[in-house]
Amino acid sequence: MGIFGKCSASVNKERKTKYERKSKETEERISLNVDGSGKSDIATTIGFLDHMLTLFSYHGYFDLDIKAKGDTHVDKHHLNEDIGIALGDAFKQALGDSKGINRTASAEVPMDTVSAKVVVDLSNRFAFVFNDHRPAGTVEIKDDEGFSMHYAKDFLESMAKRLSMNLHVTIYGDGGDMHHYLEAVFKAFGIALDKATAIDPRRAGEVPSSKGIL
């Protein structure tokens, strides 16, 4: 797999976890293998988010099983945000001490007339930036079940906060609807996080920081 192989037996144990979270509003169960093949089984009751997380899993080579439900009779806000929280927690558990990882990475993906760039740093510090370079006057289109760009930002921010990472997202282009922009975002996010979590054998057993600690 080259110098940046996803897993090295001499460096890391299996980076897998099973995670459950339950509140009075929502319930999430996650099975995650960071060093997977991109297989997924996503059922959150939010169809659009299911599609985005399937793309994230496939392009990031993460094996990901998510079952979630919540008070969507109120709205999708609680469940959408809590899935982001749960997935961030699951990745943090699976990565453990993060020794040997590349830590930083970026990816840019086009989708017809639009594109998205995602930059990540698994720095153990939270920051979320969403740069929206869509043309002025772009109409904020929701899908049939009401998922919106706002919900996507909430999900990404919640996941970044719980994984304690810097996550910068930039969207560009003209003529695309919400589906095109977010499909590019979640594909790029998967690719970038795959690269950032990959093990560099030259840093075997070391925390990826000149300070010696994240």
Side-chain angles (χ1 to χ4, degrees):
M1 293 183 65
I3 197 165
F4 299 117
K6 196 67 185 293
C7 189
S8 171
S10 63
V11 176
N12 248 18
K13 61 182 181 180
E14 287 189 328
R15 299 187 296 176
K16 298 179 179 179
T17 194
K18 291 187 182 296
Y19 175 91
E20 293 189 14
R21 183 179 189 274
K22 187 174 183 179
S23 73
K24 292 181 179 180
E25 297 169 341
T26 70
E27 182 176 343
E28 298 81 34
R29 289 184 292 112
I30 296 176
S31 176
L32 169 67
N33 179 5
V34 174
D35 303 303
S37 60
K39 295 181 293 186
S40 63
D41 185 3
I42 316 288
T44 69
T45 76
I46 304 175
F48 190 86
L49 184 59
D50 290 355
H51 178 41
M52 294 300 105
L53 290 174
T54 298
L55 295 172
F56 167 78
S57 169
Y58 181 84
H59 290 277
Y61 293 94
F62 308 123
D63 289 347
L64 184 60
D65 187 319
I66 302 178
K67 300 296 179 288
K69 60 183 179 180
D71 57 354
T72 51
H73 61 285
V74 177
D75 63 24
K76 293 178 175 56
H77 171 75
H78 294 148
L79 184 59
N80 174 70
E81 184 177 55
D82 286 359
I83 294 166
I85 289 170
L87 191 55
D89 283 346
F91 266 95
K92 199 169 186 69
Q93 281 185 188
L95 290 171
D97 57 19
S98 294
K99 288 182 178 179
I101 65 169
N102 289 324
R103 179 180 148 176
T104 62
S106 65
E108 191 162 7
V109 170
M111 181 64 188
D112 295 341
T113 60
V114 308
S115 65
K117 182 176 182 179
V118 175
V119 184
V120 302
D121 181 4
L122 299 175
S123 59
N124 202 33
R125 298 187 308 276
F126 163 68
F128 176 67
V129 178
F130 194 99
N131 298 302
D132 191 340
H133 293 306
R134 290 178 293 172
T138 298
V139 177
E140 194 65 70
I141 302 171
K142 297 183 179 182
D143 79 328
D144 290 341
E145 36 171 50
F147 200 87
S148 65
M149 193 70 75
H150 177 75
Y151 279 133
K153 292 177 186 177
D154 278 352
F155 171 87
L156 293 167
E157 182 172 13
S158 297
M159 182 174 170
K161 188 173 291 184
R162 294 305 275 247
L163 186 45
S164 302
M165 71 173 167
N166 288 188
L167 174 59
H168 290 218
V169 178
T170 306
I171 56 176
Y172 309 89
D174 193 2
D177 60 17
M178 182 195 71
H179 192 140
H180 285 93
Y181 284 108
L182 290 183
E183 183 160 328
V185 167
F186 277 82
K187 286 177 179 176
F189 186 25
I191 294 167
L193 195 57
D194 173 48
K195 293 177 181 178
T197 58
I199 298 295
D200 183 343
R202 296 174 299 179
R203 191 161 278 146
E206 294 181 6
V207 173
S209 171
S210 58
K211 296 178 290 189
I213 187 172
L214 290 175

